[in-house]
Amino acid sequence: MNTRVTELINKMTAEEMRQRLAEYMESDVNLMPRLVAVKVRLSRESSTRHRYDVVLVDEDGGETIVKFRDRYSRLVYIYTLLRPQGFQRRAAASNDYRELRQLFSKLYFANGDALVRTIETTGYDQFISQYVAQSRKAVRQSSPLASPFAIDYPQSHCGKLLIPFVAQGGTVDFDASLSNHKV
């Protein structure tokens, strides 16, 4: 231990040491409650940015809302959640992005024209790569235990984009209004 730490410890009262120890223990990944489910539910906040929240649920019933930076990373993440066994990148582009546009309309009460313009401007491969990466970042920043809840690298799954937690049969709960989008 360095001398500064030793001096600080020696100056602390027993109560201060207990409080500091509790703070350290609460941030210890090994002591955190495991994440056991993911939910997609109607947002409790009135927002023009999004209608649905993606929520990670721990074994104690605690909930952590994933904070996506933009609409498209949330869209790609929910699209992937709806496909437990994953999907090939090109599958989402089929039929003029029909399934993506339908889900976009459901999530944001907007037609998919802006989505298609963005895809065509950036190119489909760049669009998917960029927003998968941003969704991974948002999920991983929500909890130090969230890696299995992020979209995994396709090289690990025969070219499929999937979420390991979901592919392994993990609990996913969708709001009833999204039930007709399940595959």
Side-chain angles (χ1 to χ4, degrees):
M1 232 183 318
N2 72 39
T3 55
R4 184 162 185 252
V5 172
T6 304
E7 288 174 17
L8 285 173
I9 290 173
N10 290 334
K11 290 179 183 178
M12 292 178 138
T13 65
E15 183 56 36
E16 288 172 328
M17 279 200 273
R18 273 195 288 279
Q19 182 180 353
R20 196 66 174 263
L21 179 59
E23 290 170 8
Y24 283 117
M25 290 177 78
E26 283 181 6
S27 63
D28 185 342
V29 174
N30 296 318
L31 300 174
M32 290 181 171
R34 288 181 320 110
L35 295 174
V36 295
V38 61
K39 290 182 185 180
V40 179
R41 69 174 182 217
L42 282 170
S43 179
R44 294 181 177 156
E45 297 178 10
S46 176
S47 172
T48 58
R49 293 190 58 197
H50 64 278
R51 266 183 79 205
Y52 293 89
D53 285 327
V54 174
V55 182
L56 302 178
V57 182
D58 67 38
E59 61 191 353
D60 293 342
E63 296 184 341
T64 303
I65 296 175
V66 178
K67 293 177 174 69
F68 293 96
R69 281 186 41 201
D70 55 70
R71 290 176 165 194
Y72 300 135
S73 57
R74 182 187 314 268
L75 170 71
V76 169
Y77 187 77
I78 293 173
Y79 183 82
T80 308
L81 276 176
L82 288 164
R83 285 149 187 78
Q85 298 311 310
F87 66 96
Q88 297 290 334
R89 292 170 64 103
R90 285 278 162 211
S94 66
N95 296 323
D96 195 29
Y97 317 106
R98 182 178 57 85
E99 288 182 350
L100 276 175
R101 285 185 291 119
Q102 288 175 342
L103 184 57
F104 182 82
S105 296
K106 189 70 148 178
L107 296 176
Y108 301 109
F109 279 143
N111 68 31
D113 294 343
L115 170 67
V116 172
R117 278 193 303 276
T118 300
I119 292 172
E120 290 174 351
T121 301
T122 61
Y124 178 73
D125 288 333
Q126 176 65 27
F127 173 86
I128 278 293
S129 294
Q130 178 178 346
Y131 293 111
V132 164
Q134 288 184 13
S135 77
R136 277 186 196 122
K137 182 178 178 181
V139 170
R140 288 183 179 138
Q141 286 178 340
S142 66
S143 168
L145 302 174
S147 284
F149 290 79
I151 299 172
D152 206 358
Y153 295 95
Q155 299 87 336
S156 304
H157 306 284
C158 300
K160 287 185 175 184
L161 290 168
L162 60 78
I163 299 168
F165 173 81
V166 179
Q168 294 165 0
T171 303
V172 181
D173 183 25
F174 289 97
D175 188 87
S177 61
L178 288 175
S179 62
N180 63 341
H181 282 280
K182 287 188 180 182
V183 289

